[in-house]
């Protein structure tokens, strides 16, 4: 038996909601986390037609990349496609979950999929996210330090890239006096205690802080636990938006554009001035990515692939790289496949459908 919360927790393993941008609206937008799931339909956008598809397929959970509710809803009377989709979902008991920028900032999310589609290697995050690494400091009797450290590691602390169990310990003397009403593990009420203690320092990802603090309380000996947490300014090179990587073989610009059209299934490319240079290092950022142009230049990319560039954005290439606008839908279209494949692996005995509806609102002639 699978519930909405089980699917949400699975998705948040690769796209924690804590990593979404502040402006975004992610998570369960319509429905009940405790509701049993009859089927899952994965889509890029939740339109009234997609909700109808979910009804036909007996799917009461839609997992959507884009959030159908982005700005606040003041009325629900069916005057636009957003209200129509939400009303139809509510009437038919359909839950809607959106991941959006949480998946944008995932190391195995939107831009990973673009990089995979273009067969890039040596990939790394283009714009690493800051202020999402935290540090925990606590003090414990030295004889119990290893037990506590291991419990913190098991809860997710001390993970840095491809390393785990990363921490620092320093031995010293701690002192305290239990007062009336206390029930000390060490010492007696009214007596000053000096104890051999170990200071433990570990980093922890922001989205696991609750679980790690819970493990701290469950595995510490003291009645009153001294600890502190800090948000670090460090960027996390494994979390963030966009990616940059290398082609296996360099190409001239025209050959690369033909390759890009084929692999990204896009009919047109809007681009800046061609520089008559070889393309080897490629930066990508699915969706609206004008803000990442300077980062692509700093990464020494030969081309930056994104969408929704405005007229004046193309000037900012400054003859340092080629900008390629392949379209918003086209840049994110394979995200649907990524989510579907992931959920099928997590729930092997459960039906997960990839929506058959093309929700691209842009047409070409």
């Amino acid at each position: 038996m699978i519930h909405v919360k089980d699917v949400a927790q699975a998705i948040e393993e690769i796209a924690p909601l804590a990593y979404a941008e502040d402006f975004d609206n992610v998570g369960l937008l319509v429905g009940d986390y405790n509701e049993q799931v009859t089927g899952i339909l994965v889509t890029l956008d939740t339109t009234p037609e997609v909700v109808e598809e979910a009804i036909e397929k007996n799917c009461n959970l839609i997992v959507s990349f884009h959030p159908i509710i982005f700005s606040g809803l003041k009325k629900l009377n069916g005057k636009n496609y957003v209200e129509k989709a939400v009303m139809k979902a509510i009437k038919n008991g359909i839950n809607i979950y959106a991941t959006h920028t949480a998946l944008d900032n995932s190391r195995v999310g939107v831009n990973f999929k673009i990089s995979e589609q273009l067969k890039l290697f040596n990939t790394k995050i283009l714009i690493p996210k800051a202020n999402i690494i935290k540090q925990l400091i606590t003090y414990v009797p030295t004889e119990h330090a290893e037990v506590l450290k291991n419990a913190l590691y098991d809860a997710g602390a001390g993970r840095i890239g491809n390393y785990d169990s990363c921490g620092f310990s320093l031995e010293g003397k701690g002192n305290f006096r239990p007062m009336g009403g206390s029930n000390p593990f060490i010492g007696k009420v009214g007596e000053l205690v000096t104890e051999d203690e170990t200071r433990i320092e570990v980093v922890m990802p922001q989205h696991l802080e609750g679980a790690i603090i819970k493990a701290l309380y469950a595995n510490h000996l003291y009645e009153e636990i001294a600890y502190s947490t800090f948000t670090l300014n460090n960027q996390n090179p494994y979390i963030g938006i966009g990616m940059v990587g290398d082609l296996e073989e360099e190409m001239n610009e025209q050959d690369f554009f033909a390759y890009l059209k084929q692999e990204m299934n896009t009919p047109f490319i809007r681009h800046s001035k061609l520089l008559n240079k070889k393309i080897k290092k490629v930066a990508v950022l699915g969706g609206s990515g004008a803000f990442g142009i300077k980062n692509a230049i700093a990464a020494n990319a030969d081309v930056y692939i994104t969408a929704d560039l405005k007229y004046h954005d193309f000037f900012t290439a400054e003859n340092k790289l080629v900008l390629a606008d392949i379209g918003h839908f086209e840049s994110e279209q394979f995200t649907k496949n990524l989510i579907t494949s992931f959920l099928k692996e997590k729930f092997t005995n459960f039906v997960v459908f990839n929506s058959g509806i093309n929700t691209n609102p842009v047409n070409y002639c």
Side-chain angles (χ1 to χ4, degrees), residues 104-348:
D104 275 321
N105 281 314
S106 171
R107 190 182 184 186
V108 292
V110 177
N111 299 291
F112 165 82
K113 193 62 181 176
I114 299 174
S115 300
E116 183 180 65
Q117 195 70 19
L118 295 176
K119 301 177 180 62
L120 303 182
F121 68 100
N122 292 334
T123 55
K124 61 181 181 179
I125 299 295
L126 179 65
I127 309 175
K129 199 167 179 63
N131 302 317
I132 58 172
I133 304 173
K134 305 200 75 170
Q135 184 178 41
L136 167 67
I137 299 175
T138 190
Y139 305 84
V140 64
T142 298
E143 63 182 13
H144 192 68
E146 289 302 312
V147 172
L148 180 59
K149 276 200 299 185
N150 289 332
L152 297 176
Y153 295 153
D154 288 343
R159 295 178 187 171
I160 304 174
N162 293 323
Y163 294 80
D164 66 9
S165 302
C166 301
F168 178 79
S169 300
L170 181 66
E171 294 184 4
K173 297 285 186 180
N175 55 269
F176 52 87
R177 190 195 312 273
M179 303 298 289
S182 64
N183 183 27
F185 180 79
I186 296 173
K188 297 180 180 179
V189 173
E191 294 183 359
L192 182 65
V193 178
T194 299
E195 177 70 15
D196 290 331
E197 291 187 337
T198 297
R199 171 181 168 129
I200 297 174
E201 299 183 15
V202 291
V203 294
M204 58 184 177
Q206 177 182 330
H207 71 284
L208 292 180
E209 180 178 4
I212 292 167
I213 297 302
K214 184 177 180 180
L216 171 66
Y217 272 89
N219 292 276
H220 205 292
L221 298 177
Y222 287 162
E223 182 180 24
E224 296 289 347
I225 302 172
Y227 75 95
S228 54
T229 61
F230 303 91
T231 298
L232 303 179
N233 291 328
N234 307 47
Q235 291 182 330
N236 188 333
Y238 305 100
I239 300 294
I241 199 164
M243 277 195 165
V244 60
D246 297 317
L247 293 168
E248 185 173 350
E249 298 288 342
E250 64 180 21
M251 303 181 188
N252 64 46
E253 292 163 330
Q254 293 295 349
D255 288 344
F256 177 75
F257 278 158
Y259 175 73
L260 181 59
K261 286 182 178 181
Q262 173 184 311
E263 297 302 317
M264 294 302 297
N265 190 28
T266 182
F268 300 107
I269 298 174
R270 299 166 63 235
H271 62 83
S272 61
K273 177 184 176 182
L274 298 183
L275 304 176
N276 196 28
K277 295 180 180 178
K278 296 292 186 180
I279 302 294
K280 177 68 173 179
K281 186 176 289 293
V282 179
V284 304
L285 198 157
S288 303
F291 64 91
I293 294 173
K294 63 181 183 298
N295 301 91
I297 292 173
N300 295 316
D302 301 308
V303 63
Y304 177 47
I305 301 163
T306 188
D308 299 342
L309 298 181
K310 296 180 179 179
Y311 176 84
H312 288 95
D313 292 330
F314 288 97
F315 286 111
T316 62
E318 299 281 2
N319 294 327
K320 295 177 181 177
L321 83 175
V322 177
L323 300 178
D325 184 335
I326 65 172
H328 195 120
F329 175 88
E330 288 78 6
S331 70
E332 296 175 337
Q333 61 185 301
F334 299 108
T335 302
K336 187 167 62 172
N337 301 343
L338 182 153
I339 298 171
T340 300
S341 297
F342 175 75
L343 290 177
K344 284 183 176 179
E345 289 179 5
K346 295 294 291 187
F347 304 103
T348 55

Side-chain angles (χ1 to χ4, degrees), residues 20-73:
E21 298 300 322
D22 293 338
F23 63 81
D24 207 1
N25 189 29
V26 293
L28 187 63
L29 307 185
V30 176
D32 182 353
Y33 275 112
N34 294 315
E35 190 165 341
Q36 186 176 342
V37 178
T38 60
I40 303 171
L41 180 68
V42 179
T43 182
L44 200 63
D45 306 280
T46 303
T47 62
E49 294 77 16
V50 170
V51 177
E52 187 62 40
E53 182 185 15
I55 296 169
E56 293 172 358
K57 288 182 165 63
N58 192 33
C59 295
N60 69 341
L61 174 59
I62 295 174
V63 176
S64 179
F65 176 63
H66 292 128
I68 182 61
I69 303 172
F70 194 76
S71 302
L73 284 176

